[in-house]
Amino acid sequence: MKFIEKIFTKIYCIFLPRRAGTSLSDNQAYPQVCLDASNKLKYFNKFRRNTVYASIVETVTRELGKKYLKVLEADKQILGYIEEFKKNDNWGGPVTYDYDVVGSISPTTLRYIKVLSDLHNFYGSLDGFNICEIGVGYGGQCRIVNAMFSPYTYSLVDIQPALQLAERYLSNYIIGSILSFKTMNELDYKDYDLCISNYAFSELPRSLQDVYLKKVILKSKMGYITYSDNFTPREFNSYRVEELLKIIPGAIKIDENPVTGPNSVILWGNRTR
């Protein structure tokens, strides 16, 4: 059955009518899966196992999950919330594995927890923050942040189908933040305390990166962007890390830990440790 599903997915992706995408994931097949999952319960209950969806969002392998967990084992405060974090996997039917110390959990959820650990280590408590996340998946990072802290507002920015799915997913949880779901064009010029982007900003062509720079990144006091110089095709002319370090005031680059590819993390703002 798995083999047949993969073959069908490949055929579906090849013959599905295409339109011009705004990022690597805005390729018609992925948005359609998001719409199906947000509108139909039978798809929502297992969307994180869908081959198309998993190739964009659920990309963390079992072994990489072990590496995230190894880093997290040094953060006892974060691990104290592990049972609450594991509730991320109650919806969407993700693939989970049994790991030492924490038990059964999705490796993608472990990645979100690792990002939260970094945010806590660099910026301290996120209580009362106004946060904007560029590229939100199904809202998993937002839910992980809200499982430990109480940001005042949390703005989720993505293409409309992904936002619809994130809204449906997050509606299953009690979220302390005031949530907003907006496309790039719907964004106001607003000041934020923290900008987050897990790889998504890397997917964009330079013209759209410029919009996010003006509307979000340069208006955020602090930021955490996992970025790759090798994510997009040459015609996208996406910014390179060294260019962004010159554009974003006070930005620095640190190595990704654990290493998942030719990636680095761009940070800026007041750091607590």
Side-chain angles (χ1 to χ4, degrees), residues 102-163:
V102 299
S104 180
I105 192 169
S106 159
T108 299
T109 299
L110 286 172
R111 179 177 66 189
Y112 290 143
I113 299 169
K114 168 57 171 56
V115 170
L116 177 63
S117 176
D118 286 347
L119 294 174
H120 183 220
N121 287 331
F122 286 116
Y123 304 120
S125 171
L126 306 183
D127 289 342
F129 273 33
N130 293 303
I131 297 175
C132 185
E133 184 179 358
I134 300 169
V136 303
Y138 50 86
Q141 187 69 69
C142 173
R143 197 268 153 182
I144 288 293
V145 169
N146 275 271
M148 183 174 178
F149 296 109
S150 298
Y152 181 57
T153 64
Y154 201 113
S155 300
L156 299 97
V157 187
D158 212 315
I159 58 175
Q160 190 60 50
L163 293 175

Side-chain angles (χ1 to χ4, degrees), residues 140-202:
Q141 187 69 69
C142 173
R143 197 268 153 182
I144 288 293
V145 169
N146 275 271
M148 183 174 178
F149 296 109
S150 298
Y152 181 57
T153 64
Y154 201 113
S155 300
L156 299 97
V157 187
D158 212 315
I159 58 175
Q160 190 60 50
L163 293 175
Q164 288 181 221
L165 178 54
E167 187 168 11
R168 175 157 193 176
Y169 173 83
L170 291 170
S171 70
N172 293 285
Y173 301 93
I174 297 174
I175 305 292
S177 300
I178 299 170
L179 300 181
S180 65
F181 302 83
K182 295 185 177 182
T183 64
M184 175 189 68
N185 288 334
E186 293 170 335
L187 275 176
D188 298 323
Y189 286 88
K190 175 184 173 181
D191 293 333
Y192 298 97
D193 295 302
L194 176 63
C195 169
I196 303 170
S197 185
N198 296 326
Y199 307 100
F201 188 62
S202 299

Side-chain angles (χ1 to χ4, degrees), residues 14-163:
I14 291 171
F15 290 101
L16 191 68
R18 298 280 175 163
R19 61 177 175 76
T22 58
S23 69
L24 292 182
S25 59
D26 186 11
N27 59 12
Q28 194 63 35
Y30 171 76
Q32 187 60 52
V33 172
C34 292
L35 288 173
D36 288 343
S38 61
N39 292 320
K40 300 175 184 178
L41 182 60
K42 68 176 182 178
Y43 294 124
F44 178 74
N45 284 339
K46 57 180 181 179
F47 75 89
R48 291 172 67 181
R49 290 177 182 257
N50 178 280
T51 306
V52 171
Y53 194 86
S55 69
I56 301 294
V57 180
E58 295 281 323
T59 58
V60 185
T61 65
R62 180 177 188 171
E63 291 305 310
L64 185 52
K66 288 181 180 180
K67 293 180 181 180
Y68 282 121
L69 184 56
K70 185 173 180 62
V71 176
L72 287 169
E73 286 176 355
D75 193 334
K76 303 302 182 185
Q77 187 172 1
I78 289 288
L79 284 185
Y81 287 82
I82 192 64
E83 293 305 316
E84 189 63 30
F85 294 148
K86 287 164 70 173
K87 293 178 183 178
N88 259 45
D89 298 335
N90 288 351
W91 299 95
V95 175
T96 61
Y97 301 100
D98 284 324
Y99 292 99
D100 293 341
V101 181
V102 299
S104 180
I105 192 169
S106 159
T108 299
T109 299
L110 286 172
R111 179 177 66 189
Y112 290 143
I113 299 169
K114 168 57 171 56
V115 170
L116 177 63
S117 176
D118 286 347
L119 294 174
H120 183 220
N121 287 331
F122 286 116
Y123 304 120
S125 171
L126 306 183
D127 289 342
F129 273 33
N130 293 303
I131 297 175
C132 185
E133 184 179 358
I134 300 169
V136 303
Y138 50 86
Q141 187 69 69
C142 173
R143 197 268 153 182
I144 288 293
V145 169
N146 275 271
M148 183 174 178
F149 296 109
S150 298
Y152 181 57
T153 64
Y154 201 113
S155 300
L156 299 97
V157 187
D158 212 315
I159 58 175
Q160 190 60 50
L163 293 175

